[in-house]
Amino acid sequence: MPVDQQIKTNFTNCFQSITKCQADDEYQRWKTFYLIPSPTQMLYHLKVTLIKLSPIFINQDQSNIDGLHVFFLNTGGLICLLDILTDKRLIEHCDMSTKKSIYFIIFYILKRFFAILGFYQLRPNIPNDSLEQSLASMPLSPPYTEQQTTISFEKYLSLILQKHDHEYPIPKKSFLTYKQIIEFIRLIWCLASNNQDISFEQDFLQIHQTFKQDDINEYDIDDDGSLACREALELLCLSLALVPSSVENLMNEEFFEYFLFDILLYCQYPNIRQTASDQIYILTTRCSQDQTENLLKYLIKKQFQMFDKYSNDLKQYSLHSLEFFLLLCRLLSFASNTQVCLGDLDQQLDDEIRWLKNVQLPIDDHLLYGHLSIAKELLQFQSSDRKRFYGIDQSLIQQLIQQYLFPASTLLYQYRSLKQENNVDIELKEPPVPICQLPMTTSPAFDVLVSLATNCLDNFKLIDRSITDLFYSIPDSNLNEWDYSLPFGPRSNRGFVGLKNASATCYMNSVLQQLFMIEPLRSALLSVKIPSEYCRDDADDDDMRRDNVCRNREALSKNLILILFF
């Protein structure tokens, strides 16, 4: 649908060059264009702005700047959008749904302009590695070719702005302040809240209290509120990189801890929690200026405190905890790879080992995944002797293999060993249920074993010997060259079932197993009645014998079922 012509004209009129007197009047033309009584009309004007700025068309003649982005910055359009975000009174007449849509569009527009301002602040004589890394992590516009050099459109505009500072100056109010970043956090906090009718004017403690609710659910719907929140989270990293002192200031704010826990754990929107986990990791590792190590220590410390101060909340909100655990593991891995000294982590590891050794079924799989993953990352900081202490002296390896991963195989191995030693029949007990029953928990359990074996030869030997004893202690007969017949009788010594691999027949075997899972096909094969004269296997001629094998489908089908499933 084309843009309304009158609205388009009004939008274009806002780009007229301004005088100093007009600048002191807070860019009244943009306020008149956006701040109108009708919420629907206001939203439409913002959408027109997004549409007009999206084509990204600019004259390649740098002496004649006609790019809408440049004029939007120069005439104060960005200032007006920032005012709408930070001054809640400007849209207090709008309903909640319209407010969320307005915030979504503004955040989307701001991402591009903040990228432009980021490149604008990167001057050759003023290095800023954190800002460069932050811009590198941003999804920028398609490349623009200028003098056989391919750069992003945002960087191209920043070069124009740098070259024409005197002709098209950027108003000082277009650059972010720490106070505006605090308002961004307030908006993110409110948009992520479980209370859909929350007031955006509430203080931080009131917002925090809206997250903890008795009714814990998951909401996968991407409405404008959750979309706006995700856009704002992506924008927050760049905003903090643009204001160098903001990261240090935030770590001294009392509310910041509650903000982190709310969007990582208590928020009921999984897409917001995932975005928050990703952006906080990017913020810590790329966008925290010279505060990377301090922020890393701060976040890891706060997350470990969660186990002590809010352990019941972790259990209650275990369904939401994957993003919380994932962020902590990624931060620990980053600290290990960059050799950041986090102090004494032995106590945290002791707590994790104690938790793992005291696990009893039934256990929440999300919590189990988290504690196994954290134990694995903490083991990376340990010396070979400490790993041996946990793996052998504390019997962690034995417990992981026998209780977490292979309890049935362990029971079968013990049964065979006792039977062989005593030479008497012993009753085989019902095998216990493994603690790790899903791929999401078995994978980190194996990772813990790998971490224990890394740079620790004694642990490696114990793991190797334990696995060998469970699965390779009793040799199976090899497949002879012409032994393609189906195996009859009891299952093999190792306890495996299925078709023999007759040299590169594993794919065929897998297909047969899948086909036999189709009940109509299985029933059809079993219902076939073959006359007895076609089932003779005493023919001398090889062709007749092969023909008999092909015809004997009923016996083959029954045998396959026995082999595949029993």
Side-chain angles (χ1 to χ4, degrees):
M1 180 181 296
V3 176
D4 181 82
Q5 190 61 39
Q6 183 61 45
I7 302 299
K8 181 179 178 180
T9 301
N10 295 340
F11 177 79
T12 305
N13 290 338
C14 293
F15 289 105
Q16 297 176 2
S17 60
I18 58 176
T19 64
K20 184 176 180 181
C21 179
Q22 290 172 317
D24 293 338
D25 196 26
E26 295 186 353
Y27 315 111
Q28 190 62 38
R29 283 195 301 271
W30 284 113
K31 286 191 172 183
T32 302
F33 181 70
Y34 289 125
L35 305 180
I36 49 183
S38 170
T40 305
Q41 192 71 17
M42 181 181 182
L43 181 60
Y44 181 73
H45 284 196
L46 286 167
K47 290 184 177 180
V48 169
T49 303
L50 178 62
I51 293 172
K52 296 298 291 182
L53 294 174
S54 293
I56 317 179
F57 174 78
I58 190 166
N59 195 323
Q60 295 189 18
D61 184 1
Q62 294 188 4
S63 63
N64 181 23
I65 303 177
D66 57 0
L68 294 180
H69 291 74
V70 176
F71 286 109
F72 189 82
L73 276 170
N74 175 249
T75 55
L78 181 61
I79 299 175
C80 190
L81 295 184
L82 287 172
D83 287 343
I84 295 174
L85 285 180
T86 56
D87 190 349
K88 312 301 184 300
R89 296 170 298 176
L90 299 179
I91 59 172
E92 62 182 0
H93 61 288
C94 299
D95 60 89
M96 181 60 67
S97 177
T98 304
K99 285 182 181 179
K100 292 179 178 180
S101 299
I102 288 173
Y103 289 142
F104 170 64
I105 294 176
I106 292 178
F107 279 129
Y108 191 86
I109 295 174
L110 288 184
K111 277 206 307 186
R112 172 169 296 159
F113 281 102
F114 283 1
I116 295 172
L117 292 178
F119 285 114
Y120 177 80
Q121 295 182 32
L122 287 177
R123 303 300 176 100
N125 57 339
I126 307 177
N128 191 332
D129 295 338
S130 180
L131 184 54
E132 287 185 9
Q133 293 179 2
S134 178
L135 292 169
S137 66
M138 289 284 292
L140 300 176
S141 302
Y144 178 86
T145 302
E146 171 67 17
Q147 296 180 353
Q148 298 182 347
T149 302
T150 301
I151 57 177
S152 68
F153 181 77
E154 288 82 0
K155 187 171 184 179
Y156 170 68
L157 280 177
S158 69
L159 295 176
I160 296 178
L161 290 170
Q162 291 174 3
K163 185 175 182 179
H164 298 274
D165 275 340
H166 298 291
E167 302 170 58
Y168 300 95
I170 301 176
K172 291 184 178 180
K173 290 185 178 180
S174 298
F175 295 94
L176 275 174
T177 64
Y178 178 68
K179 183 178 179 180
Q180 290 172 326
I181 290 178
I182 295 297
E183 291 305 313
F184 286 178
I185 292 177
R186 185 192 305 274
L187 285 175
I188 294 171
W189 213 344
C190 291
L191 291 169
S193 172
N194 304 328
N195 184 356
Q196 298 298 304
D197 299 320
I198 189 173
S199 172
F200 290 96
E201 291 82 19
Q202 290 182 334
D203 61 39
F204 292 140
L205 181 58
Q206 291 175 322
I207 299 173
H208 172 60
Q209 291 172 347
T210 65
F211 278 81
K212 291 188 177 182
Q213 297 181 356
D214 295 332
D215 181 23
I216 303 174
N217 295 309
E218 288 264 304
Y219 298 105
D220 294 322
I221 301 176
D222 266 343
D223 59 4
D224 282 345
S226 63
L227 290 174
C229 185
R230 295 166 66 188
E231 290 289 334
L233 283 167
E234 293 177 0
L235 186 66
L236 182 61
C237 287
L238 182 56
S239 301
L240 293 171
L242 290 170
V243 183
S245 61
S246 56
V247 174
E248 183 178 3
N249 292 336
L250 277 178
M251 288 188 291
N252 295 322
E253 298 281 5
E254 184 178 354
F255 70 83
F256 191 50
E257 172 184 346
Y258 299 116
F259 169 71
L260 294 173
F261 290 158
D262 286 344
I263 62 175
L264 283 173
L265 182 64
Y266 301 122
C267 176
Q268 295 185 353
Y269 296 92
N271 49 14
I272 292 179
R273 297 197 305 270
Q274 180 62 56
T275 304
S277 178
D278 292 340
Q279 294 304 313
I280 292 173
Y281 178 76
I282 294 174
L283 167 64
T284 307
T285 58
R286 299 184 183 180
C287 312
S288 52
Q289 300 288 344
D290 57 347
Q291 295 294 319
T292 296
E293 184 172 338
N294 292 334
L295 182 58
L296 184 66
K297 293 179 178 179
Y298 171 87
L299 292 173
I300 292 176
K301 177 183 176 181
K302 292 300 181 182
Q303 287 192 268
F304 274 124
Q305 287 178 353
M306 185 76 178
F307 295 101
D308 299 326
K309 297 171 61 175
Y310 308 104
S311 58
N312 291 332
D313 286 353
L314 269 177
K315 295 178 182 178
Q316 184 181 0
Y317 290 85
S318 61
L319 188 63
H320 300 179
S321 63
L322 285 181
E323 292 77 17
F324 175 87
F325 286 122
L326 178 62
L327 175 62
L328 178 55
C329 291
R330 295 176 73 183
L331 294 176
L332 288 170
S333 177
F334 177 79
S336 175
N337 293 334
T338 55
Q339 298 181 343
V340 174
C341 181
L342 297 177
D344 188 9
L345 294 176
D346 289 347
Q347 183 59 52
Q348 283 81 4
L349 182 55
D350 288 340
D351 292 340
E352 292 303 315
I353 300 300
R354 189 179 305 109
W355 190 93
L356 294 175
K357 294 181 74 67
N358 294 328
V359 165
Q360 293 181 353
L361 293 175
I363 182 66
D364 186 278
D365 290 310
H366 297 82
L367 290 179
L368 183 59
Y369 162 84
H371 285 283
L372 284 169
S373 300
I374 292 173
K376 176 255 182 182
E377 296 298 341
L378 290 174
L379 284 167
Q380 302 298 323
F381 294 89
Q382 303 301 312
S383 64
S384 175
D385 291 338
R386 292 294 297 175
K387 288 184 178 182
R388 187 189 187 284
F389 169 75
Y390 290 115
I392 298 177
D393 297 344
Q394 294 290 316
S395 303
L396 181 58
I397 292 175
Q398 180 182 3
Q399 185 175 15
L400 287 172
I401 292 176
Q402 296 183 1
Q403 299 179 24
Y404 279 74
L405 296 170
F406 310 116
S409 298
T410 300
L411 180 64
L412 184 60
Y413 170 73
Q414 294 172 349
Y415 165 78
R416 288 171 177 164
S417 300
L418 290 173
K419 185 177 179 180
Q420 185 176 6
E421 291 175 4
N422 301 325
N423 198 22
V424 294
D425 288 335
I426 302 175
E427 182 181 359
L428 183 62
K429 300 179 180 179
E430 183 72 20
V433 177
I435 295 177
C436 297
Q437 302 180 38
L438 297 177
M440 69 176 295
T441 55
T442 55
S443 179
F446 280 116
D447 288 339
V448 174
L449 288 175
V450 172
S451 184
L452 285 167
T454 303
N455 298 325
C456 183
L457 185 59
D458 291 340
N459 284 350
F460 182 85
K461 289 180 178 179
L462 177 59
I463 295 172
D464 175 68
R465 185 169 61 253
S466 300
I467 299 297
T468 302
D469 288 342
L470 292 182
F471 297 104
Y472 301 101
S473 58
I474 302 178
D476 270 347
S477 59
N478 296 325
L479 183 66
N480 296 326
E481 183 178 1
W482 297 104
D483 186 15
Y484 297 114
S485 60
L486 298 171
F488 293 95
R491 59 194 335 184
S492 60
N493 289 329
R494 293 184 191 173
F496 296 122
V497 296
L499 296 170
K500 288 186 178 180
N501 183 9
S503 180
T505 61
C506 53
Y507 290 104
M508 181 193 71
N509 297 345
S510 299
V511 170
L512 287 174
Q513 289 179 323
Q514 294 298 321
L515 289 175
F516 266 80
M517 292 299 294
I518 304 174
E519 186 175 355
L521 177 61
R522 187 166 66 246
S523 301
L525 286 173
L526 291 175
S527 64
V528 174
K529 301 298 182 182
I530 306 295
S532 59
E533 59 268 22
Y534 290 104
C535 299
R536 294 173 57 243
D537 195 29
D538 56 353
D540 295 330
D541 186 79
D542 289 340
D543 292 335
M544 292 180 62
R545 182 171 299 175
R546 283 194 295 268
D547 184 59
N548 284 338
V549 171
C550 294
R551 294 169 185 265
N552 197 356
R553 288 174 295 176
E554 182 179 8
L556 177 63
S557 302
K558 292 179 179 179
N559 288 329
L560 277 174
I561 290 179
L562 291 173
I563 293 167
L564 297 178
F565 304 109
F566 299 101

